[in-house]
Amino acid sequence: KSGLDSPFVPGGDASQYAGIGASIAHGGGYKDPVGLWPTEPAYDRMPVWPLILAIGMRIAPNAIDEVVSRLTNVACLALAGIAIGALCRRLGVRPVFCLISGLYVMLSPILISLALNGMSEISFILIVNAGLALAFSGPRYLYPAAVLIGLGSLVRPNFVIVPLLFATLAFLL
């Protein structure tokens, strides 16, 4: 055993995300098979991370859900590093430091741990930083940037206040 296929903690966040992702991937809808009401739609988990997992599970339908979750999260972590590098470049940081910051994100032990534990934080980092990189890429990218930054609230609900703060600052300035 490599550890990639070891099960998540039953009833924990990762097992619920993986269960919802598997349910979506197999046509069962947005249901949490390891939750209290496995036959009812799940309302206790934000939708973006399970939807990303469902894509991975559709690509590899015969793979173990935990393996797909971990590998999908590691792919998101690599893309998050690229997004951070792109954001740094848009902010005028020298290319070598952009590369270092992207690699730091990709190789951060804490983020790797979160990725291997199936947590949604990695997809949040990817989506929000990609949105910020687009926001600083010019006016024609503001709408896609707003969509991505808004999607951040559908990964981590505690982020819901941030777009409102940006709108307030834009109005005041």
Side-chain angles (χ1 to χ4, degrees):
K1 262 190 162 182
S2 66
L4 273 178
D5 57 352
S6 62
F8 292 132
V9 175
D13 291 354
S15 66
Q16 289 181 326
Y17 288 130
I20 294 169
S23 177
I24 294 168
H26 299 114
Y30 198 82
K31 296 178 181 170
D32 181 4
V34 298
L36 295 175
W37 299 280
T39 60
E40 300 299 321
Y43 296 103
D44 58 339
R45 295 288 169 205
M46 300 308 286
V48 172
W49 178 232
L51 289 172
I52 293 171
L53 286 175
I55 294 168
M57 291 173 183
R58 293 286 287 182
I59 292 171
N62 297 325
I64 299 169
D65 292 345
E66 287 84 357
V67 173
V68 173
S69 177
R70 289 179 172 118
L71 293 178
T72 302
N73 231 349
V74 168
C76 285
L77 183 57
L79 292 172
I82 293 169
I84 290 285
L87 175 60
C88 289
R89 193 68 194 127
R90 295 292 176 219
L91 293 174
V93 177
R94 290 190 356 207
V96 69
F97 294 123
C98 296
L99 177 65
I100 290 170
S101 66
L103 288 173
Y104 181 79
V105 167
M106 290 180 200
L107 300 174
S108 167
I110 292 172
L111 295 179
I112 290 171
S113 174
L114 287 171
L116 294 178
N117 284 313
M119 305 307 281
S120 65
E121 283 82 351
I122 305 303
S123 60
F124 173 77
I125 292 169
L126 167 61
I127 289 168
V128 170
N129 283 296
L132 289 173
L134 282 175
F136 286 103
S137 295
R140 72 181 194 179
Y141 296 107
L142 285 179
Y143 288 116
V147 168
L148 284 175
I149 293 169
L151 278 176
S153 299
L154 294 176
V155 178
R156 304 292 306 160
N158 49 351
F159 186 70
V160 74
I161 191 73
V162 174
L164 180 63
L165 291 175
F166 275 117
T168 303
L169 286 174
F171 179 75
L172 293 175
L173 298 177

